Amino acid sequence: MLRKNVLMKILLLSSMQISWKEALKSTIEAEIKQSIEVDEKLCFDEKNNIFLSDNSIGNNTIVLLLLDSQLLENQNLSAWIENLNKRSQKLILASSAESDFTAKDRVKTQKIAKTNGLAFYDVNRYISLATDSFYSRDAKNQLDIPTEIVRFLTLRLTDVISSDDLFNQYYYGACMYPEVWSQEVFEEDVKHMRSIGMNFARIGEFIWSDIEPEEGHFDLSIIETALKIYQDNQISVCLCIPTPTPPRWLTVKHPESKIVNLDGTIMEHGSRQHACTNNPDYQKYAYRMTRQVSKLAEKYDNVVAVQLDNEFKCHVDLCYCDSCRNLWIDYLKVHYESIEKLNASWGTAVWSERYDRFEDVVLPTTTPFLHNSSLMNAFRKFTAESLNDFAHNLTHLVRLETKKAVTHNTAFGFNLLNDELFEDLDIAGFDTYAPYSDYPAFTLNLDRWRNVRPNRNEFLLLETSTSHAGHIENYISPAPEGWITAELFTGFAGNLKAFTYWHFRNHAYGVEQPHSTVVTTSGEPGVGYDDVVKNGQLLKEMTPFLDESRYQPAKIGFMYSDHAKRFYNIDHGGFYNHRGLVTEYYGSLIRKGINLEVIHETSSYEDFDLMIVPFIRWVSPEMLVKLQSFVETGGKLILGPMTGDRTEELAWPVNNGLGIVGEWLQLDQIKQYSVQKIDFHASYKEEVNPFAGLVTRFNTNDNWTVLFEGQNQDIIAAKRKMDKGEVIYLGGLPRLLNESSLWDRFVDEEILVFETDRQLLRIGDGLKKYRRETENSIQIYLCNMSNETKEYSLHKASHDLLTGAELTAGQVSLQAYEYQILEFEKSL
């Protein structure tokens, strides 16, 4: 990230003169309180050839390339952008505001951006929403388009230019529902939350029918009253856009807006998320309401963030309504361009599936056996991408009214493309109700969502329970006392900026009454209340140490992919669950005291010493180049299982069983089969353990050292030196990793050496740590996340910043859910 103490330059490249250059300069300078240079240059020379070089681009220059239809038609564009990206400190693509910028242009720009790992600012979509009279602030006044372009680009560029955190304090609070309770009860609860150390509330995610009781008649007084009460009690607010619960008048007037399931069942009004986000009538009303709510975010200073919707795809996934059918055909036309290309990509010669026209392509509804895996993959990808289009449109509409940070509360259980979703948002938010019996399931959230946004590792926990989740069809037992305190301690140590309970006062109606809350329906302390109060005091004690320190990322990257998750939703063999696979592998390392950064395909790999890349079934050519560069410069890479074993279209590779990964590594004779229900053992040195799931056997050349051998001396895992680095390919994993002696030995010998804090201490199962640093010291935030006493080995003398206790080197015990902040001098 560019730093604010360096003079920066923004270079605008386009095919036409820009009238708003000086306005952009003055607006950004006012925002970041620093002088910058803004220059512009045409992309074409006198002969109408695209520029292939530009010596004026130097260090600390942000290049903003405004793409229009003319530029996108230039055959040299992709190569030029690739070259430009190599010479720029930061290259960003943006769409032209011109009306002739088409959906096909947008997809092409997005592909170029993804190929080169670039950000994409959709100016065109922002302006088109801004100029739509149905959503506009004042239809009588003509919009000043240059001013709006500058406003939008300033919001996006400030995130790149400034190194400041979005939030300068830590938030602790709960979700509240002023629409459910009387104003008297609501005020009582706000005062109560303040008295127990809370300073944060989230409201509004389901309030649509209260603020628009009739079509087009808005009354936001209930939100305004709540915001004033919070303001009087020094409570900061995350204000939500209540799109998941459209009012009954909307579904009565537009019954076609409701979700249609796989079997043709229409999801009735009620519950939530019953409307399809692809339906144009639903979108029209949702977008108009979004602007109305967003005005309040700007009006009230105590609103610090705006949350889109609530848990996209929480209760629904695929929809087969007429709106989706129509958009599906348009999507295929744009992405495949010709029906011949689609047929070739999907292999429709199998079972006479060939299509003659895009209009003939079916939706993957109920069929006698199974649909083509490529068809199912494409439809799931279409669903996730169209949801992101909806979310990004909501974001644009919010930004038309306010510059408050935009977030969303995602979770692992939903079928989304989170990395693409959060590209356009300001900060990641998430919900988790991880069971106390599996603490890596909680910390996986921290390590994943901290890394989902480039340049910003602060993030928000927007929902968790005070003790347990639950609804009327699922009663759940309370967590042990101390568990949520362990969650809060590790969360803020891992760079959380907000810790939020769902919810404050229990609902008497609905379906989620069994869910634990801060207080009961009558206002008495709920299950977990003592820990809630304790957590408020703990955050107060932690804050000075958090303020003086900065989170320090681990040197081991662990790759997670929502695209891989989509593949496993389809190609699972009857036993694979992507989340379970990832949690077990990740958890086996966490339980050995190894810290990880959970990253995604387009993340930067440069800051890691070791990269672990399991279950990424399709490796793109761009990703392979990044992996090769990582190894060439001395990195260690652990691939597999199943990494590279499918194509982009979820087919099987033709030239090599592991695709371009196998070709790069020069592996051949690749055979893959299931050992899930048979007795199959493999050995590693003296250890012999049973394996499970898919096993990939392969042959190697003499440059490889065999690691895991199957029962017939089949090679299941091997490693080799490559350039300055090293590569390991794992063709399978032992059954029950946390109980495998083979896996323990492999991790000790191949992974543990990259653990950053191994010179200071060694921890094991049940303990979790994060590292933060000040100018002169290292702080290790250490917590026992189990319900029994655990020991760790302290290699250097230290002291606990929270208690002042001096600790000598040796074995140290931590009681259940006990925590410490260990300080070491940096000279150590």
Side-chain angles (χ1 to χ4, degrees):
M1 186 185 301
L2 300 176
R3 296 293 169 179
K4 288 179 68 174
N5 59 351
V6 178
L7 179 64
M8 284 163 292
K9 179 179 179 180
I10 297 175
L11 177 62
L12 305 172
L13 295 177
S14 71
S15 64
M16 62 187 70
Q17 293 292 331
I18 295 172
S19 63
W20 38 264
K21 179 185 72 172
E22 292 303 320
L24 181 66
K25 169 180 167 64
S26 59
T27 307
I28 293 179
E29 286 181 340
E31 188 67 30
I32 68 172
K33 307 295 189 295
Q34 180 192 342
S35 295
I36 63 168
E37 294 180 10
V38 178
D39 197 4
E40 66 173 308
K41 193 175 186 68
L42 294 178
C43 294
F44 291 100
D45 62 18
E46 295 178 355
K47 296 181 180 179
N48 208 35
N49 293 318
I50 203 162
F51 283 111
L52 298 179
S53 63
D54 188 342
N55 296 326
S56 66
I57 299 175
N59 294 331
N60 302 309
T61 298
I62 298 172
V63 179
L64 183 64
L65 175 58
L66 294 155
L67 291 172
D68 55 28
S69 297
Q70 181 186 10
L71 280 171
L72 287 165
E73 290 174 359
N74 193 294
Q75 295 181 349
N76 296 320
L77 179 66
S78 294
W80 182 62
I81 287 178
E82 183 179 350
N83 185 46
L84 193 63
N85 190 29
K86 293 176 182 177
R87 293 182 289 108
S88 306
Q89 177 78 11
K90 181 74 176 179
L91 175 61
I92 298 168
L93 305 185
S95 57
S96 164
E98 301 302 314
S99 59
D100 62 351
F101 191 87
T102 65
K104 187 175 182 180
D105 292 334
R106 178 170 289 107
V107 170
K108 186 171 184 178
T109 305
Q110 289 171 332
K111 285 183 177 180
I112 294 171
K114 186 172 293 186
T115 298
N116 291 278
L118 305 175
F120 170 50
Y121 297 170
D122 201 345
V123 177
N124 181 271
R125 182 166 288 176
Y126 177 83
I127 294 301
S128 67
L129 289 167
T131 53
D132 191 314
S133 61
F134 192 81
Y135 321 124
S136 67
R137 298 191 196 99
D138 187 352
K140 296 179 182 179
N141 296 326
Q142 187 175 0
L143 192 74
D144 185 345
I145 292 178
T147 298
E148 285 297 340
I149 292 174
V150 166
R151 187 173 182 279
F152 174 71
L153 290 177
T154 299
L155 285 170
R156 302 306 308 275
L157 288 168
T158 301
D159 181 54
V160 177
I161 296 169
S162 174
S163 60
D164 292 344
D165 286 346
L166 275 177
F167 302 108
N168 58 9
Q169 67 180 102
Y170 298 93
Y171 296 113
Y172 177 57
C175 303
M176 301 182 76
Y177 297 88
E179 70 271 30
V180 172
W181 299 99
S182 68
Q183 184 175 328
E184 180 183 9
V185 169
F186 180 74
E187 287 193 60
E188 175 187 322
D189 286 347
V190 173
K191 291 176 181 177
H192 188 167
M193 74 187 309
R194 185 65 183 172
S195 72
I196 58 176
M198 291 184 175
N199 62 353
F200 184 72
R202 193 195 73 178
I203 64 168
E205 71 270 33
F206 305 130
I207 206 171
W208 191 345
S209 65
D210 289 88
I211 63 174
E212 192 181 4
E214 299 177 42
E215 180 185 341
H217 296 156
F218 288 95
D219 179 2
L220 282 73
S221 59
I222 188 171
I223 298 179
E224 290 217 56
T225 298
L227 292 176
K228 290 174 184 175
I229 293 170
Y230 286 129
Q231 203 168 49
D232 291 342
N233 288 274
Q234 297 82 51
I235 302 292
S236 297
V237 177
C238 175
L239 179 60
C240 300
I241 305 298
T243 44
T245 51
R248 182 60 176 138
W249 58 257
L250 194 159
T251 50
V252 168
K253 183 176 182 179
H254 298 286
E256 73 283 357
S257 68
K258 292 182 285 188
I259 294 278
V260 178
N261 281 348
L262 176 67
D263 60 1
T265 301
I266 299 174
M267 302 295 281
E268 190 49 87
H269 181 99
S271 183
R272 57 194 189 195
Q273 296 187 343
H274 46 269
C276 176
T277 55
N278 282 335
N279 179 268
D281 292 306
Y282 165 79
Q283 289 180 351
K284 178 176 68 173
Y285 295 117
Y287 294 164
R288 181 173 64 181
M289 178 272 296
T290 295
R291 289 198 70 166
Q292 293 292 326
V293 175
S294 300
K295 292 175 184 178
L296 296 184
E298 185 64 18
K299 182 176 179 180
Y300 288 88
D301 291 340
N302 59 326
V303 175
V304 296
V306 176
Q307 175 186 300
L308 305 181
D309 202 88
N310 183 78
E311 297 180 336
F312 284 132
K313 295 296 183 182
C314 174
H315 300 293
V316 295
D317 188 5
L318 306 177
C319 177
Y320 304 87
C321 70
D322 288 343
S323 297
C324 287
R325 181 181 297 275
N326 293 333
L327 284 176
W328 166 239
I329 294 170
D330 292 341
Y331 176 88
L332 295 176
K333 289 178 179 177
V334 169
H335 283 76
Y336 290 96
E337 298 180 337
S338 72
I339 196 65
E340 292 78 17
K341 182 178 178 181
L342 181 147
N343 283 316
S345 298
W346 293 3
T348 56
V350 174
W351 289 355
S352 295
E353 293 176 346
R354 187 175 66 83
Y355 299 104
D356 297 318
R357 306 178 307 150
F358 283 111
E359 289 77 9
D360 296 337
V361 180
V362 300
L363 297 178
T365 54
T366 304
T367 193
F369 182 33
L370 293 172
H371 280 289
N372 185 314
S373 60
S374 298
L375 166 65
M376 291 190 286
N377 175 62
F379 189 70
R380 282 189 168 275
K381 188 178 181 185
F382 153 76
T383 299
E385 289 184 356
S386 60
L387 185 279
N388 281 350
D389 288 342
F390 173 70
H392 294 161
N393 284 345
L394 292 179
T395 304
H396 293 322
L397 290 156
V398 172
R399 287 181 172 141
L400 282 166
E401 300 296 343
T402 181
K403 62 181 181 180
K404 302 292 177 67
V406 181
T407 188
H408 175 69
N409 59 328
T410 189
F412 276 112
F414 317 143
N415 293 322
L416 304 170
L417 292 175
N418 283 285
D419 306 310
E420 290 88 342
L421 169 64
F422 283 107
E423 277 180 1
D424 268 22
L425 278 59
D426 298 303
I427 188 168
F430 73 101
D431 299 347
T432 181
Y433 297 97
Y436 69 87
S437 57
D438 187 17
Y439 73 93
F442 174 73
T443 62
L444 178 61
N445 281 277
L446 304 180
D447 296 341
R448 160 71 167 143
W449 306 122
R450 180 176 57 247
N451 291 294
V452 74
R453 283 277 292 119
N455 300 332
R456 189 168 302 287
N457 62 11
E458 54 186 326
F459 60 124
L460 311 173
L461 173 51
L462 293 168
E463 286 187 31
T464 194
S465 66
T466 61
S467 171
H468 58 275
H471 53 76
I472 57 176
E473 293 186 349
N474 186 22
Y475 295 160
I476 298 176
S477 300
E481 182 179 351
W483 165 246
I484 66 166
T485 300
E487 286 186 308
L488 179 134
F489 179 86
T490 54
F492 283 112
N495 224 40
L496 271 183
K497 283 300 181 72
F499 190 98
T500 317
Y501 300 111
W502 195 86
H503 48 311
F504 193 85
R505 183 182 286 257
N506 196 18
H507 292 167
Y509 305 97
V511 298
E512 295 183 292
Q513 299 94 319
H515 199 294
S516 71
T517 51
V518 179
V519 299
T520 65
T521 54
S522 62
E524 297 175 335
V527 177
Y529 181 82
D530 290 343
D531 277 353
V532 170
V533 175
K534 179 181 179 181
N535 281 0
Q537 181 59 39
L538 174 58
L539 178 57
K540 185 177 180 180
E541 294 172 6
M542 292 176 68
T543 296
F545 305 116
L546 294 170
D547 282 341
E548 71 177 5
S549 62
R550 301 290 292 181
Y551 175 79
Q552 298 300 306
K555 290 296 184 181
I556 304 174
F558 183 98
M559 190 170 292
Y560 176 94
S561 169
D562 283 324
H563 292 283
K565 179 183 178 181
R566 181 178 72 251
F567 279 21
Y568 281 102
N569 282 336
I570 301 164
D571 186 352
H572 49 70
F575 51 80
Y576 274 137
N577 172 277
H578 181 256
R579 186 177 178 184
L581 281 171
V582 169
T583 303
E584 185 184 26
Y585 195 137
Y586 164 91
S588 72
L589 304 180
I590 295 298
R591 292 179 186 277
K592 292 182 74 67
I594 297 171
N595 271 26
L596 308 168
E597 300 298 331
V598 179
I599 62 172
H600 50 92
E601 295 100 322
T602 59
S603 299
S604 171
Y605 309 163
E606 294 177 356
D607 295 329
F608 298 109
D609 297 328
L610 168 65
M611 286 279 295
I612 300 172
V613 186
F615 319 125
I616 309 297
R617 309 200 76 168
W618 174 60
V619 173
S620 70
E622 296 77 29
M623 179 179 166
L624 181 65
V625 169
K626 291 173 64 177
L627 293 174
Q628 290 170 329
S629 176
F630 175 76
V631 174
E632 287 171 2
T633 54
K636 181 170 182 174
L637 179 63
I638 300 179
L639 299 167
M642 294 172 274
T643 299
D645 70 352
R646 299 292 185 267
T647 71
E648 181 179 8
E649 301 288 349
L650 191 48
W652 287 47
V654 174
N655 296 328
N656 184 290
L658 292 175
I660 58 176
V661 172
E663 293 174 357
W664 171 46
L665 300 179
Q666 298 178 320
L667 304 178
D668 59 19
Q669 298 298 311
I670 295 162
K671 299 177 179 63
Q672 188 180 75
Y673 50 86
S674 171
V675 298
Q676 184 72 6
K677 296 182 179 180
I678 64 174
D679 183 22
F680 181 93
H681 287 69
S683 62
Y684 174 57
K685 299 184 177 178
E686 297 83 17
E687 307 296 338
V688 180
N689 281 181
F691 274 48
L694 284 181
V695 164
T696 303
R697 295 164 38 192
F698 52 87
N699 284 352
T700 67
N701 58 34
D702 294 339
N703 295 319
W704 290 81
T705 300
V706 176
L707 298 178
F708 302 170
E709 278 192 335
Q711 293 162 181
N712 298 312
Q713 285 74 54
D714 295 325
I715 301 173
I716 307 299
K719 71 175 179 179
R720 64 165 293 184
K721 295 286 186 183
M722 295 187 75
D723 300 298
K724 297 180 180 178
E726 187 175 57
V727 179
I728 293 176
Y729 195 92
L730 300 177
L733 290 174
R735 192 181 301 272
L736 301 176
L737 288 185
N738 292 313
E739 300 176 14
S740 168
S741 59
L742 182 154
W743 186 246
D744 279 349
R745 184 160 183 179
F746 174 80
V747 171
D748 285 347
E749 295 180 357
E750 300 291 350
I751 298 177
L752 189 60
V753 66
F754 295 94
E755 163 50 38
T756 310
D757 306 315
R758 65 189 183 280
Q759 304 300 323
L760 301 176
L761 74 171
R762 175 73 186 272
I763 66 173
D765 190 15
L767 302 177
K768 177 59 178 167
K769 63 177 175 62
Y770 286 110
R771 179 178 180 137
R772 301 177 68 92
E773 292 185 9
T774 69
E775 185 177 350
N776 300 312
S777 68
I778 297 168
Q779 296 176 359
I780 301 295
Y781 289 64
L782 177 63
C783 184
N784 182 356
M785 301 195 74
S786 75
N787 59 1
E788 58 187 33
T789 300
K790 296 289 184 180
E791 287 191 344
Y792 68 92
S793 298
L794 184 63
H795 302 325
K796 305 284 186 179
S798 179
H799 68 277
D800 183 354
L801 290 173
L802 290 173
T803 65
E806 298 295 331
L807 302 173
T808 58
Q811 293 298 111
V812 181
S813 295
L814 283 181
Q815 301 300 309
Y817 306 120
E818 187 180 359
Y819 43 83
Q820 297 172 323
I821 303 179
L822 303 177
E823 184 177 52
F824 303 86
E825 293 180 11
K826 272 198 174 175
S827 59
L828 298 178

